[in-house]
Amino acid sequence: MSATPVSGSGRAGMGAGMEQVSSWSRDIRLVSGVILLVFATTHFLNHALGIFGVAVMEEAQAWRYGVWHSWPGTIALYAAMIVHPLFALLRVAQRRTFRMPAREMIQIALGLTIPFLLVDHVIATRVMGSYFQMDESYHSVLRRLWPRYAPAQSLLLLLVWVHGMIGIHFLLRGRESYRHWRDVFMLGAVLVPLLALIGFSVAAREAQLMALPDEAMTQAQIAMADFNVTWAKSTFYGLVGCFVLFVVVREVRVRTTRQITLRFVGHGTRRTAPGPTVLEMFRRFGIPHAALCGGRARCATCRVLVIDGADTLPPPGANEARLLRRISAPERVRLACQIRPRDDLQVQILLASRLNAAPGRTLEPDAMMGKRGLTVLVADLRAFSALSERQLPQELIGLLNRFYDEMGQAIAAHDGRIDAFYGDGFMAVFGLEGTPARAAQAAITAAADIVRAVEALNREFGAALPLPLRIGIGIHTGETITGAVENDNLGRRDITVGETVMIAAQLEAATRRVLADVVVSEETIRVSGRSYAGTSSLKVPVKGREKPLHAFGFVSAPEERSKRDRRDGEIAPASVEPEPGPVAAQAPEAKDAS
């Protein structure tokens, strides 16, 4: 009996349908999870008010009940409680490999554990209150829970919160804005459960001291509660068992059917049954790869170039297509987490990875990686080559050590970070913490300290130097790309790259032509919101730009205009006070004097 072959177009159609199902199931899972997390957050904050007493808890509970006991609130909550675990199980069942990062394993384990404790809590409170008119107020519920059920309820609170925080963190960490309030998020993630547990403990002790009659449950009520608990747990874990059985049957079936050949450029050839995504194949075969969002089409770090077999793949789904358009991906570039090859395929990983990473390791980019608005300072000693030819090696290295020590102190004193040393110069960035205005001010002030430090070194080493030390500094503010690079020989290094760095370097080079110690771009002056005296207006040609860049040169350490020069005690707008005779820096670029 021969099997009926499925055409390529038919397989592509099935694949496209699967991608669409995966897309909307992900959205449903996300929305339902957010609803449950909002409910849990309001519930835990209500617990935290127990620090101020049971009466305060019950006042807040009345407002919370107004939302979650209304028909819309009840429907949304119970629908989310059913839909979220169901679609989470569907997501797990769709996996073709269970090699995954530890945080995904923890989240799945928490998701399977929570219902075991949650069912008892829901039935003992809301269900019994709705069907047997048992008091759901805090003073009654706390008396029922404390102290016998306190450990289980506290554990439930922590499991729910950790599960939700893991999901939210990995949902948001790929967004550029997340880094600005990540610390606040982490603080809230710690404080909410901590305060909730304290409030629960304080209020429960207070409720125990209240002169209230003991609640009595009839045998019928106890039997009904036990039946509902058993039925709910059996239903959930029976569903889990069905999914496990489905996965086992599927694996047996796919391993006895045809196999396809996957060629991974630089990582050899593998044969496997069709069905898994390319990202799952990376994990199964231990191929180092990047996956910031964990395979949810929220980032593009797992993208691959399809070298051969692109015509057999289904077209991108809505989420994948949207993301590919956003990064202007060229033709044949796809997300490894979204394509499930049904025929032979050859792909190349596009995001550079360490080839000697541990087998199966998911190479996740640094959380600090991304575009950031920073102020970059580039400094370089002038005529260093001439100086090095006239100095003994020991003297020269000693001088450089002292120079870098002074420069490091000047940068660190203004919350900057030195990203690179290169021979007789260095690059520093400002704005990793704080506002852009503060970063621009700090960079200019640090430049002034550097100029003064060089003058001090001249006084200290003057008799031993054939030439006085002179330094050139360029400062510019703009978008940069920050992150970290790492290998086994050099270790881990934070880096900053981008056009802003290049412009700061060109401003530093311009100091030689205009005879200025410091050249600061007009953008940095504007962002700083401060006024500076003793400057020369410049126009500096920048490679890759048609128009020259407006900048200002300082012949000595930059100094802010004194307060008495500011109008009526008000802070002057971002401006400079130029000296007579603007200077042009449009001559052909001269060679470095060093």
Side-chain angles (χ1 to χ4, degrees):
M1 186 174 183
S2 60
T4 303
V6 181
S7 67
S9 60
R11 287 193 295 266
M14 289 188 293
M18 183 175 292
E19 295 298 331
Q20 293 175 356
V21 170
S22 177
S23 176
W24 61 257
S25 70
R26 187 199 72 173
D27 295 338
I28 291 175
R29 192 172 66 252
L30 173 62
V31 172
S32 60
V34 169
I35 292 173
L36 293 176
L37 183 59
V38 170
F39 173 80
T41 303
T42 58
H43 195 33
F44 298 161
L45 291 175
N46 204 161
H47 283 6
L49 293 176
I51 296 172
F52 306 103
V54 177
V56 178
M57 293 178 75
E58 293 187 337
E59 289 180 12
Q61 186 185 42
W63 171 85
R64 193 168 57 86
Y65 273 13
V67 176
W68 297 109
H69 276 233
S70 65
W71 276 110
T74 299
I75 293 173
L77 178 60
Y78 281 101
M81 290 181 66
I82 295 172
V83 167
H84 188 71
L86 180 63
F87 278 83
L89 286 173
L90 182 61
R91 159 74 176 170
V92 174
Q94 286 178 334
R95 287 181 175 273
R96 298 306 181 97
T97 179
F98 288 91
R99 289 185 179 181
M100 65 188 79
R103 64 96 179 169
E104 291 188 33
M105 297 179 65
I106 292 172
Q107 196 171 21
I108 292 173
L110 291 175
L112 293 174
T113 306
I114 287 171
F116 185 78
L117 299 172
L118 183 62
V119 166
D120 297 82
H121 180 74
V122 172
I123 290 176
T125 54
R126 189 142 185 189
V127 173
M128 298 301 289
S130 299
Y131 288 96
F132 296 103
Q133 288 72 51
M134 293 188 67
D135 191 357
E136 292 183 68
S137 62
Y138 263 111
H139 65 266
S140 295
V141 174
L142 289 173
R143 284 163 59 85
R144 291 201 295 267
L145 295 179
W146 189 270
R148 180 179 178 183
Y149 300 105
Q153 295 303 303
S154 300
L155 178 61
L156 173 62
L157 184 152
L158 293 174
L159 294 180
V160 169
W161 190 251
V162 171
H163 180 75
M165 289 301 99
I166 291 176
I168 290 295
H169 171 69
F170 284 96
L171 169 67
L172 298 177
R173 71 170 185 166
R175 300 175 185 244
E176 293 294 333
S177 59
Y178 182 47
R179 66 173 183 270
H180 298 299
W181 48 274
R182 185 181 63 252
D183 293 340
V184 177
F185 173 85
M186 297 301 293
L187 179 63
V190 173
L191 285 181
V192 169
L194 178 62
L195 295 177
L197 290 175
I198 295 174
F200 172 58
S201 176
V202 171
R205 287 183 170 88
E206 180 185 341
Q208 292 295 314
L209 299 176
M210 291 181 175
L212 298 172
D214 293 334
E215 286 186 314
M217 293 180 63
T218 65
Q219 290 298 322
Q221 290 175 330
I222 294 174
M224 177 61 75
D226 291 342
F227 171 79
N228 286 332
V229 168
T230 303
W231 179 84
K233 289 183 178 180
S234 300
T235 300
F236 176 76
Y237 289 104
L239 191 61
V240 173
C242 291
F243 275 98
V244 171
L245 181 61
F246 167 76
V247 171
V248 171
V249 172
R250 183 193 63 197
E251 288 300 308
V252 171
R253 181 173 177 272
V254 298
R255 292 177 189 276
T256 58
T257 58
R258 72 184 186 93
Q259 291 191 327
I260 59 175
T261 300
L262 278 301
R263 295 177 178 85
F264 304 103
V265 175
H267 299 282
T269 300
R270 306 287 194 280
R271 287 186 60 80
T272 185
T277 65
V278 172
L279 179 62
E280 289 172 332
M281 293 178 186
F282 289 155
R283 290 174 174 172
R284 174 178 292 181
F285 298 127
I287 298 174
H289 59 280
L292 179 62
C293 69
R296 293 171 175 82
R298 294 177 186 145
C299 71
T301 54
C302 70
R303 62 185 180 271
V304 295
L305 174 65
V306 181
I307 298 175
D308 187 27
D311 55 336
T312 65
L313 295 174
N319 293 313
E320 183 186 5
R322 187 184 310 116
L323 190 55
L324 292 175
R325 285 196 301 270
R326 180 177 146 196
I327 64 172
S328 301
E331 188 180 1
R332 294 190 300 148
V333 169
R334 299 291 299 270
L335 301 185
C337 64
Q338 298 299 303
I339 53 176
R340 298 179 182 271
R342 311 291 300 181
D343 293 285
D344 295 350
L345 196 70
Q346 183 177 9
V347 298
Q348 177 181 351
I349 298 175
L350 293 181
L351 186 63
S353 301
R354 292 173 58 197
L355 298 180
N356 58 348
R361 175 182 172 188
T362 300
L363 300 176
E364 301 190 12
D366 193 326
M368 294 298 292
M369 184 178 69
K371 291 185 178 180
R372 308 188 66 175
L374 299 177
T375 297
V376 178
L377 180 152
V378 174
D380 190 70
L381 281 174
R382 297 178 185 166
F384 184 74
S385 297
L387 181 66
S388 63
E389 291 173 359
R390 304 181 188 184
Q391 290 287 102
L392 293 175
Q394 296 87 346
E395 294 177 344
L396 184 65
I397 298 301
L399 176 63
L400 282 177
N401 279 327
R402 184 61 188 280
F403 169 74
Y404 285 135
D405 184 53
E406 294 290 340
M407 300 305 102
Q409 291 184 43
I411 298 300
H414 298 285
D415 299 322
R417 183 186 78 191
I418 294 181
D419 264 22
F421 284 111
Y422 40 88
D424 56 343
F426 65 91
M427 183 190 81
V429 295
F430 299 81
L432 297 169
E433 303 291 341
T435 63
R438 183 178 176 184
Q441 296 162 15
I444 296 173
T445 306
D449 289 348
I450 290 171
V451 172
R452 296 188 191 101
V454 171
E455 293 172 352
L457 289 175
N458 278 324
R459 290 192 294 270
E460 181 179 347
F461 292 93
L465 293 175
L467 298 171
L469 295 176
R470 292 296 302 276
I471 194 165
I473 301 172
I475 303 175
H476 183 56
T477 300
E479 286 290 316
T480 64
I481 298 175
T482 62
V485 293
E486 180 180 6
N487 67 35
D488 292 335
N489 295 324
L490 299 178
R492 180 184 176 88
R493 296 179 63 89
D494 294 318
I495 63 167
T496 303
V497 297
E499 185 186 44
T500 300
V501 176
M502 179 271 293
I503 292 176
Q506 294 197 35
L507 293 179
E508 181 276 319
T511 61
R512 299 168 176 81
R513 301 194 298 270
V514 300
L515 302 180
D517 287 339
V518 182
V519 174
V520 184
S521 70
E522 184 181 47
E523 177 66 13
T524 300
I525 297 289
R526 183 191 66 78
V527 171
S528 73
R530 299 291 176 85
S531 299
Y532 297 90
T535 65
S536 299
S537 179
L538 307 171
K539 291 185 177 181
V540 181
V542 176
K543 293 178 181 178
R545 289 190 175 188
E546 295 181 359
K547 296 182 179 180
L549 182 75
H550 291 277
F552 297 93
F554 296 82
V555 295
S556 59
E559 291 187 5
E560 191 177 347
R561 292 175 58 189
S562 61
K563 292 184 179 179
R564 66 175 179 269
D565 292 335
R566 294 182 184 173
R567 191 179 307 163
D568 300 326
E570 298 179 358
I571 296 179
S575 61
V576 293
E577 186 179 276
E579 293 181 343
V583 180
Q586 302 207 24
E589 184 148 355
K591 292 184 179 180
D592 193 331
S594 62

